[in-house]
């Protein structure tokens, strides 16, 4: 099927195509602006879907029939639907406030965008192209045939690679979004049994020692037999050699003189009744 | 004939007497004069405490050996006619590089041998004196090492045949002076005095270095023979610069104005040091330099005038300061400064004055050293006190000291027939000799010299009377030190006696038939006799009258009436003289403060500018980094904005360059 | 009209898509802006293929579409999983590298 898409001798499009273009182009720009400026995310999605459809029509107007259909099927049909699904998932009423939080971002954005647009438009309009040739000859066996000749001929390697890419992407999406547990859930009883069977320490590590004259994390605690417990001091200190010896801080043997002398014992008052006296009475 | 035409006729100087080679074993061994004391000093310093018992005798022996060798060389020179009395002894080639060729050698001529005799004779006497004076000092051996070092350096100074060797000796005596002034350096003020002396000397050394550099640049050699031969071919500005630079060097070493501030403080050293170095020998090295460089000064009359002016100023300066000093040694130091002013003035008068300058130097060495040794003897007997206001009436208790000191006093006053009269009077006559074209010079300088003689009489008599006559004003036990003045031991009195004999007789003896001036002629040239503006008898009478007036005034104030123990307030001039005419303040204002300011500003510049630049770069980097860090907002969108902005810039560049 | 009008349109769409990426906070909308940029590029490619008279531009656009599809799949999966943990789809929350 041929549409009125052929070019004139001077390289200009036919009048019909011009009409199509001038009708669609503003609509598409409006749609894109809707993408930029809408507050409700669903409006955004619908606007961009509209832009995609407009693009499909333009492809067909430019004698890229295959691409136009693929655009509708893939982009508008699959990709935009994906977007809308995710939007629903995320929450359709989570409206995106248009107040800018980053300082200066709006101005930079507008400036850069405008600058980019101006520059690119300038570049494009001042570039000199060869006289447009149209796709009459290339589409001689119809556009899909011509495209497939290139895809499976000159670019078959790229084709295979993108195939692999697609497979990978599908797998990736599956993995990223999988929510169900893959194995059986291990309960607390099973975890505890595995720990006992595995041997090793079951109890928590001992804390460092606290002595009459020292209270720090570099002195080991003593076990009931009086031997220092190595693991009570941090492993790093042990490796560095900064562990202190426990004997330095142990209590001295009390000599007679160290004991509190008689006359300094606590005074007891006379009239505290003893239990015996109280009991006898 | 006037002095000027005489001067013009005597250039080039080198034709006066051509140097000859040494003859005889003693002349060829002249290097021993320097080597023996130097080796002795090395031994004494290196042997250390082991040599404490015999070290001082080694020092005395080394000095005496130099004297003996010097005397033998003198005798050998006296045996040859005058035309052969300038002997150059080549020692070794020192530096031989390209066009620069410096040889080390010795010049034995009347001038240098006069100095050799003075240094070794007076030096040996002072060595003997020091054996007893420093008996109780545990560092006596080191003292003798330094004394020997000084003798070696001084002999090298006067015997060197080039400005370079002279400079080596010059620095050596400066070093020895520093070491000896600061001998008791555990007292901070003594160490500071030593430093002050060294620094003032250094300023003078700058002059000598400048002169040597100028000589090397213009003449290409530094030895006396080549320099004096080439003086005639130098232009007048170069020669004037040479003369002024050498004058600066002489001022530093001889404590002349404006570098005179160190001499008073140098009395911090032991008295033998003051006697040897700061009276007889080292301070006269400046006069030696000027007289040795006579050809240069002959060719630069302006420099010569500067020498005379400096001598005149210092003469009066020292005399005024000496009138107000109560410290005996400082008064003698001021006297030394003034007498060397006489010598410089004479040396600046030209050929008519050279010989008398050296003559006065020679006699001054004897009587001033004798007076310093006497002062040391007084200090020894009075528990090392120096305040003359606490002396008085010592004549009875220290007879030998009194007599020897008195003979030296009469000599310095210029009382005939003692030595000082013969030398100083000739200087006064020479000062009155008119100079063609500048009549004022004779009158001005002659008057200065006359007045100086009068003031000298006053303050030296003041010193003598305050110390030895009048009532006893000694400190009592209540004031902390009871005084028992006694005569000094024989090792101290015999050198004083010998020097006193010299003070009495030497001047007269050497003036017979103008023996001394004739002896010096191969170096100083023959000076025609000129008439001074006043007749000679008038000058002589005027001098004696002024001397008598000074003596009488001093006697009236210090011997006949009581001397206050505490110094009275005094007039403005007295107060200024007590403070050395504010020399320290002037030095401070003119040199120290600007120097300190310069240093401070350099430090400031270093800190602010140089360091500031470096730390400024560091701070700038940090500041820039802090500002750049703000770009890392962490937000994806600002990164995206940066990327987009970059793309835009890229596009602009591409489009602009291709359009 | 000449074919450069298509190019101008493509440029405009591209610019608007880029600005969207900068100015919108919702991750999904940013993603949609990216898609718009890709589509604008496709339009330009198709126009160029028409100018040059061969189909290579169209083939290029085809591959772009395929890759964009794969990218959308993964991107949305990521957004979904992020949303599950953080309950927010704002791209401004990802700012731990701040300063």
């Amino acid at each position: 099927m041929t549409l009125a898409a052929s070019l004139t001798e001077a390289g200009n499009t036919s009048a019909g195509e011009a009409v199509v273009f001038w009708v669609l182009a503003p609509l598409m720009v409006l749609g894109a602006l809707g993408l930029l400026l809408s507050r409700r995310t669903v409006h955004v999605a619908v606007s961009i879907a509209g832009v995609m459809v407009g693009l499909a029509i333009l492809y067909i107007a430019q004698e890229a029939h295959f691409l136009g259909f693929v655009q509708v099927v893939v982009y508008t049909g699959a990709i935009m639907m994906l977007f809308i699904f995710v939007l629903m998932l995320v929450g359709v009423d989570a409206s995106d406030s248009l107040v800018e939080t980053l300082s200066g971002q709006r101005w930079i954005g507008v400036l850069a965008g405008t600058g980019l647009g101006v520059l690119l438009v300038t570049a494009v309009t001042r570039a000199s192209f060869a006289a447009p040739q149209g796709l009459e000859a290339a589409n001689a066996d119809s556009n899909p045939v011509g495209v497939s000749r290139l895809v499976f001929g000159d670019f078959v390697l790229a084709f295979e690679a993108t195939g692999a890419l697609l497979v990978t992407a599908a797998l990736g999406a599956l993995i990223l979004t999988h929510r169900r547990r893959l194995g059986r859930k291990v309960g607390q009883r099973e975890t505890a049994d595995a720990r006992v069977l595995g041997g090793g320490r079951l109890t928590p590590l001992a804390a460092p020692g606290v002595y009459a004259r020292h209270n720090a994390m570099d002195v080991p605690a003593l076990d009931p037999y009086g031997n220092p417990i190595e693991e009570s001091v941090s492993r790093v200190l042990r490796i560095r050699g900064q562990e202190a010896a426990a004997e330095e801080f142990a209590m001295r043997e009390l000599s007679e003189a160290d004991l509190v002398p008689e006359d300094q014992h606590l005074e007891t008052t006379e009239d505290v009744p003893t239990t015996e006296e109280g009991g006898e009475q | 004939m006037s002095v000027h035409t005489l001067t013009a006729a005597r250039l080039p100087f080198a034709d006066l007497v051509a140097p000859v080679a040494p003859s005889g074993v003693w002349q060829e061994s002249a290097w021993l004069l320097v080597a023996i004391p130097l080796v002795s000093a090395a031994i004494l310093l290196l042997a250390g405490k082991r040599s404490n018992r015999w070290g001082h005798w080694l020092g005395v022996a080394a000095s005496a050996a130099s004297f003996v060798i010097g005397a033998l060389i003198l005798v050998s020179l006296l045996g040859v006619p005058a035309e052969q009395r300038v002997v150059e002894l080549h020692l070794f080639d020192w530096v031989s590089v390209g066009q620069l060729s410096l040889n080390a050698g010795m010049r034995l001529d009347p001038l240098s041998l006069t100095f050799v005799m003075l240094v070794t004779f007076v030096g040996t006497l002072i060595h003997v004196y020091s054996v007893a004076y420093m008996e109780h000092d545990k560092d006596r051996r080191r003292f003798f090492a330094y004394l020997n070092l000084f003798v070696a350096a001084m002999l090298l100074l006067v015997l060197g045949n080039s400005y370079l060797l002279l400079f080596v000796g010059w620095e050596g005596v400066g070093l020895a002076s520093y070491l000896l002034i600061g001998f008791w350096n555990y007292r901070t003020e003594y160490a500071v005095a030593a430093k002050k002396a060294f620094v003032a000397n250094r300023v003078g050394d700058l002059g000598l270095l400048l002169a040597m550099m100028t000589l090397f640049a213009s003449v290409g050699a530094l030895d006396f023979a080549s320099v004096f031969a080439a003086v005639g071919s130098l232009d007048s500005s170069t020669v004037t610069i040479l003369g002024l630079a050498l004058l600066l060097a002489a001022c530093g070493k001889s404590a002349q104005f404006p570098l005179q501030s160190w001499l008073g403080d140098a009395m911090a050293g032991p008295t033998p040091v003051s006697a040897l170095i700061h009276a007889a020998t080292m301070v006269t090295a400046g006069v030696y330099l000027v007289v040795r460089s006579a050809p240069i000064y002959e060719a630069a009359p302006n420099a010569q005038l500067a020498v005379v002016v400096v001598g005149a100023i210092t003469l009066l300066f020292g005399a005024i300061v000496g009138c107000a000093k109560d410290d005996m040694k400082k008064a003698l130091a001021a006297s030394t400064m003034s007498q060397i002013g006489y010598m410089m003035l004479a040396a600046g008068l030209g050929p008519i004055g050279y010989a008398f300058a050296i003559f006065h130097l020679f006699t001054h060495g004897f009587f001033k050293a004798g007076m310093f040794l006497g002062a040391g003897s007084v200090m020894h007997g009075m528990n090392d006190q120096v305040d003359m206001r606490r002396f008085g009436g010592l004549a009875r208790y220290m007879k030998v000291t009194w007599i020897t000191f008195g003979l030296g006093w009469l000599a310095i006053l210029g009382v005939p027939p003692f030595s000082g009269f013969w030398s100083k009077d000739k200087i006064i006559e020479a000062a009155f000799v008119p100079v063609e074209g500048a009549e004022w010079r004779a009158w001005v300088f002659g008057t200065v010299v006359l007045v100086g003689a009068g003031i000298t009489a006053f303050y030296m008599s003041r010193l003598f009377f305050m110390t030895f006559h009048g009532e006893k004003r000694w400190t009592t036990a209540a004031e902390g030190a009871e005084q028992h003045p006694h005569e000094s031991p024989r090792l101290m009195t015999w050198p004083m006696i010998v020097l006193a004999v010299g003070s009495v007789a030497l001047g007269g003896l050497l003036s017979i038939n103008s023996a001394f001036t004739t002896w010096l002629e191969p170096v100083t040239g023959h000076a025609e006799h000129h008439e001074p503006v006043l007749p000679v008898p008038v000058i002589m009478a005027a001098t004696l009258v002024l001397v008598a007036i000074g003596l009488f005034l001093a006697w009236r104030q210090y011997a006949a009436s009581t001397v206050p123990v505490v110094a009275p307030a005094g007039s403005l001039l007295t107060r200024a003289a007590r403070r050395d005419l504010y020399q320290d303040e002037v030095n401070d204002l003119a040199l120290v403060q600007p120097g300190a300011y310069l240093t401070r500003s350099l430090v400031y510049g270093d800190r602010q500018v140089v360091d500031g630049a470096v730390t400024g770069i560091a701070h700038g980097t940090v500041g820039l980094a802090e500002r750049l860090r703000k770009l890392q907002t962490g937000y994806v969108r600002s990164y995206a904005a940066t990327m987009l902005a970059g793309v835009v810039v890229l596009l602009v560049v591409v489009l602009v360059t291709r359009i | 009209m000449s074919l450069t009008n298509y190019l101008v349109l493509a440029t405009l769409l591209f610019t608007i898509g880029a600005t969207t990426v900068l100015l919108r906070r919702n991750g999904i909308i940013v993603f949609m802006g990216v898609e718009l940029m890709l589509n604008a590029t496709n339009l330009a490619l198709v126009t160029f293929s028409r100018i040059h008279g061969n189909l290579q531009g169209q083939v290029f656009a085809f591959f772009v579409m395929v890759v964009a599809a794969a990218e959308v799949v993964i991107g949305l999966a990521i957004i979904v999983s992020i949303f599950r943990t953080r309950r927010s789809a704002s791209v401004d929350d990802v700012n731990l590298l701040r300063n």
Side-chain angles (χ1 to χ4, degrees):
Chain A
M1 131 177 104
T2 59
L3 299 168
S6 48
L7 291 174
T8 61
E9 291 298 318
N12 290 329
T13 54
S14 63
E17 190 179 331
V19 168
V20 166
F21 177 80
W22 284 115
V23 166
L24 275 180
L27 288 175
M28 283 162 67
V29 171
L30 278 176
L33 284 175
L35 161 67
L36 180 60
L37 300 171
S38 291
R39 249 191 313 148
R40 306 283 294 270
T41 44
V42 178
H43 296 174
V44 167
V46 170
S47 325
I48 204 171
V51 171
M52 305 283 181
V53 170
L55 275 175
I57 299 175
L58 283 181
Y59 290 161
I60 296 182
Q62 294 222 59
E63 302 179 63
H65 312 125
F66 176 64
L67 221 51
F69 282 109
V70 169
Q71 169 88 357
V72 172
V73 167
V74 171
Y75 255 105
T76 328
I79 292 178
M80 290 320 299
M81 288 309 117
L82 265 180
F83 267 111
I84 290 177
F85 282 152
V86 171
L87 272 175
M88 298 302 165
L89 207 57
V90 165
V92 78
D93 48 354
S95 58
D96 198 24
S97 140
L98 281 181
V99 172
E100 184 56 68
T101 49
L102 300 182
S103 62
Q105 179 78 0
R106 179 163 289 184
W107 299 115
I108 294 179
V110 167
L111 207 63
T114 327
L116 184 70
V118 164
L119 283 171
L120 286 176
V121 167
T122 315
V124 157
T125 48
R126 291 174 67 126
S128 57
F129 300 100
Q133 291 167 17
L135 289 170
E136 294 274 348
N139 283 350
D141 292 328
S142 90
N143 187 261
V145 170
V147 170
S148 58
R149 277 209 185 103
L150 280 177
V151 167
F152 293 110
D154 293 337
F155 301 111
V156 65
L157 226 50
F159 175 72
E160 299 297 334
T162 43
L165 174 69
L166 280 174
V167 170
T168 316
L171 275 176
L174 273 176
I175 294 172
L176 280 172
T177 52
H178 190 86
R179 273 157 75 114
R180 205 168 302 165
R181 189 171 280 280
L182 287 172
R184 198 168 59 88
K185 184 168 156 81
V186 179
Q188 189 179 19
R189 177 85 211 181
E190 288 177 16
T191 317
D193 289 342
R195 201 160 139 211
V196 169
L197 285 173
R201 171 179 288 282
L202 292 176
T203 56
L205 288 173
V210 174
Y211 299 100
R213 289 187 288 144
H214 195 69
N215 179 7
M217 40 184 286
D218 57 343
V219 185
L222 299 177
D223 65 7
Y225 302 108
N227 305 318
I229 304 174
E230 283 301 311
E231 291 85 9
S232 60
V233 175
S234 160
R235 181 184 64 92
V236 175
L237 292 180
R238 268 184 278 139
I239 289 172
R240 281 191 198 160
Q242 290 174 338
E243 182 185 357
E247 298 84 47
E248 292 176 19
F249 304 103
M251 282 269 285
R252 293 192 306 262
E253 295 275 335
L254 283 183
S255 57
E256 279 299 316
D258 288 332
L259 290 174
V260 178
E262 286 286 331
D263 54 355
Q264 284 184 12
H265 280 162
L266 285 174
E267 294 291 331
T268 52
T269 53
E270 296 275 328
D271 48 343
V272 170
T274 60
T275 46
E276 286 160 318
E277 283 188 7
E280 272 178 24
Q281 286 179 353
Chain B
M1 268 202 302
S2 72
V3 173
H4 271 309
T5 51
L6 187 66
T7 307
R10 284 175 65 249
L11 291 175
F13 206 88
D15 285 339
L16 205 61
V17 173
V20 298
S23 61
V25 64
W26 293 117
Q27 289 181 5
E28 288 185 8
S29 327
W31 55 274
L32 281 176
L33 285 169
V34 177
I36 294 180
L38 197 57
V39 166
S40 163
I43 291 176
L44 288 175
L45 283 175
L46 290 173
K49 289 205 180 57
R50 279 169 294 172
S51 54
N52 269 353
R53 289 235 316 276
W54 45 269
H56 43 283
W57 295 119
L58 176 64
V60 171
S63 181
S66 287
F67 169 67
V68 166
I69 298 178
L72 288 168
I73 299 178
L74 175 69
V75 162
S76 74
L77 267 192
L78 282 173
V80 294
E83 299 81 42
Q84 297 172 17
R85 282 190 184 158
V86 176
V87 175
E88 284 243 355
L89 169 68
H90 175 79
L91 289 179
F92 56 89
D93 287 332
W94 190 357
V95 175
S96 213
V97 164
Q99 284 182 323
L100 171 59
S101 166
L102 300 170
N103 300 323
M106 287 187 163
R107 176 177 272 230
L108 307 165
D109 63 7
L111 179 63
S112 56
L113 279 178
T114 309
F115 271 87
V116 166
M117 283 290 102
L118 176 67
V119 169
T120 52
F121 186 66
V122 175
T124 310
L125 288 175
I126 293 178
H127 275 73
V128 172
Y129 181 94
S130 307
V131 171
Y133 189 81
M134 302 290 283
E135 196 175 1
H136 300 292
D137 196 312
K138 63 175 172 53
D139 289 320
R140 179 166 61 164
R141 164 201 50 88
R142 191 162 58 97
F143 186 75
F144 274 88
Y146 292 155
L147 274 184
N148 276 351
L149 176 66
F150 168 78
V151 169
M154 187 74 201
L155 288 176
L156 182 60
L157 196 160
V158 299
L159 284 172
N161 74 336
S162 66
Y163 280 102
L164 188 62
L165 275 185
L166 189 151
F167 187 62
V168 174
W170 191 272
E171 294 294 304
V173 296
L175 170 69
S177 164
Y178 169 78
L179 290 170
L180 284 165
I181 295 175
F183 189 69
W184 291 315
N185 54 10
Y186 45 80
R187 297 281 298 272
T188 320
E189 54 264 26
Y190 296 166
V192 170
K195 209 168 41 163
K196 184 176 178 182
F198 198 80
V199 171
N201 264 315
R202 212 74 190 113
V203 177
D205 292 350
L206 182 67
L208 190 49
L209 279 169
L210 268 176
M212 289 205 303
M213 288 183 220
T214 315
L215 273 176
F216 191 68
S218 49
V219 175
L222 287 174
D223 55 297
F224 294 138
S226 318
V227 167
F228 297 155
V231 162
S233 59
L234 296 173
D235 63 325
S236 70
S237 55
T238 312
V239 188
T240 312
I241 290 175
L242 277 174
L244 289 174
L246 289 172
L247 175 62
L248 180 66
C251 287
K253 194 61 80 180
S254 299
Q256 301 293 288
F257 184 85
L259 296 171
Q260 83 291 354
S261 55
W262 63 272
L263 192 58
D265 289 14
M267 296 299 114
T271 311
V273 170
S274 310
L276 181 59
I277 299 185
H278 305 125
T281 44
M282 184 184 95
V283 291
T284 55
V287 182
Y288 169 79
L289 181 66
V290 172
V291 174
R292 179 62 83 191
S293 312
I296 296 178
Y297 283 104
E298 296 289 311
N302 292 327
Q304 247 181 351
L305 179 60
V307 174
V308 178
V309 168
V310 162
I313 294 177
T314 314
L315 202 162
L316 288 176
F317 191 99
I320 293 173
V321 168
C323 290
K325 289 287 178 187
D326 291 331
D327 182 329
M328 187 160 63
K329 285 177 69 172
K330 287 206 163 70
L332 284 173
S335 162
T336 305
M337 192 196 299
S338 178
Q339 294 302 309
I340 299 180
Y342 268 99
M343 297 174 215
M344 288 293 263
L345 191 148
L349 288 175
I352 51 172
Y354 294 140
F356 299 123
I358 302 297
F359 191 21
H360 192 58
L361 194 154
F362 198 67
T363 55
H364 172 265
F366 276 82
F367 54 71
K368 189 49 71 63
M371 282 199 282
F372 260 110
L373 294 189
S377 172
V378 168
M379 282 165 64
H380 174 88
M382 295 288 280
N383 279 337
D384 286 332
Q385 271 192 344
V386 283
D387 187 3
M388 290 192 289
R389 295 201 177 267
R390 304 314 304 254
F391 288 167
L394 286 174
R396 218 170 331 131
Y397 298 86
M398 305 172 80
K399 285 230 162 23
V400 178
T401 311
W402 174 57
I403 293 176
T404 53
F405 199 99
L407 290 175
W409 163 65
L410 287 172
I412 197 174
L413 250 54
V415 171
F418 297 99
S419 311
F421 165 74
W422 301 101
S423 51
K424 204 195 284 195
D425 247 46
K426 283 283 182 280
I427 294 181
I428 300 177
E429 278 177 33
F432 271 111
V433 166
V435 170
E436 189 178 286
E439 297 293 324
W440 58 271
R441 283 175 63 164
W443 288 108
V444 167
F445 295 123
T447 317
V448 164
V449 173
L450 259 187
V451 168
I455 305 179
T456 305
F458 174 72
Y459 71 79
M460 287 307 300
S461 311
R462 168 180 180 269
L463 194 155
F464 186 66
F465 290 137
M466 271 176 94
T467 310
F468 290 104
H469 294 267
E471 298 153 11
K472 292 187 260 193
R473 302 182 296 277
W474 309 342
T475 57
T476 60
E479 285 162 318
E482 193 169 354
Q483 300 292 1
H484 302 287
H486 53 281
E487 191 55 79
S488 304
R490 264 195 303 237
L491 274 178
M492 282 170 70
T493 52
W494 272 103
M496 293 196 303
I497 294 172
V498 173
L499 287 172
V501 167
S503 314
V504 169
L506 208 55
L509 280 176
L510 288 176
S511 293
I512 298 175
N513 284 341
S514 307
F516 195 74
T517 40
T518 318
W519 155 252
L520 282 179
E521 267 178 18
V523 180
T524 62
H526 179 75
E528 306 265 333
H529 179 70
H530 297 275
E531 279 299 319
V533 286
L534 293 175
V536 172
V538 171
I539 297 177
M540 224 185 278
T543 314
L544 289 173
V545 163
L546 280 175
V547 164
I549 293 176
L551 206 161
F552 174 70
L553 283 174
W555 176 81
R556 193 180 61 143
Q557 193 168 348
Y558 296 104
S561 41
T562 45
V563 177
V565 167
V566 173
S571 67
L572 185 65
L573 187 60
T574 313
R575 281 199 298 275
R578 282 200 194 125
R579 295 194 55 93
D580 298 298
L581 294 182
Y582 301 117
Q583 66 187 11
D584 289 330
E585 282 82 356
V586 167
N587 278 346
D588 197 51
L589 267 178
L591 299 171
V592 175
Q593 301 281 17
Y597 182 72
L598 180 68
T599 315
R600 270 206 306 276
S601 54
L602 283 178
V603 168
Y604 176 82
D606 179 49
R607 254 194 229 126
Q608 302 293 5
V609 174
V610 177
D611 289 353
V614 174
T615 54
I617 291 177
H619 283 140
T621 313
V622 169
L624 185 65
E626 295 224 338
R627 261 168 236 121
L628 284 179
R629 194 172 61 129
K630 298 219 167 69
L631 282 180
Q632 303 285 330
T633 57
Y635 295 121
V636 167
R637 291 192 293 137
S638 53
Y639 297 155
T642 316
M643 284 192 329
L644 190 59
V647 167
V648 169
V649 166
L650 210 60
L651 274 175
V652 166
V653 167
V654 166
L655 284 177
V656 161
T657 53
R658 294 187 57 157
I659 286 177
Chain C
M1 71 169 198
S2 75
L3 286 178
T4 49
N5 293 6
Y6 286 107
L7 294 175
V8 173
L9 174 64
T11 314
L12 280 176
L13 291 179
F14 187 88
T15 311
I16 294 173
T19 317
T20 310
V21 171
L22 257 55
L23 293 181
R24 296 299 293 253
R25 262 208 307 287
N26 195 325
I28 304 169
I29 299 181
V30 166
F31 214 359
M32 282 197 247
V34 174
E35 289 306 307
L36 184 58
M37 286 201 280
L38 285 168
N39 274 286
T41 319
N42 278 357
L43 177 61
L45 282 168
V46 167
T47 313
F48 286 136
S49 99
R50 197 172 178 204
I51 289 175
H52 292 303
N54 58 27
L55 292 175
Q56 283 186 341
Q58 293 188 17
V59 169
F60 198 167
F62 173 69
F63 280 120
V64 169
M65 265 191 230
V66 171
V67 172
E71 170 208 349
V72 164
V73 163
I74 296 294
L76 288 177
I78 292 175
I79 289 182
V80 163
S81 56
I82 288 179
F83 178 76
R84 279 195 194 142
T85 40
R86 292 190 184 207
R87 312 303 306 178
S88 157
S90 163
V91 299
D92 280 351
D93 290 343
V94 193
N95 64 351
L96 285 178
L97 279 180
R98 185 182 174 75
N99 284 346

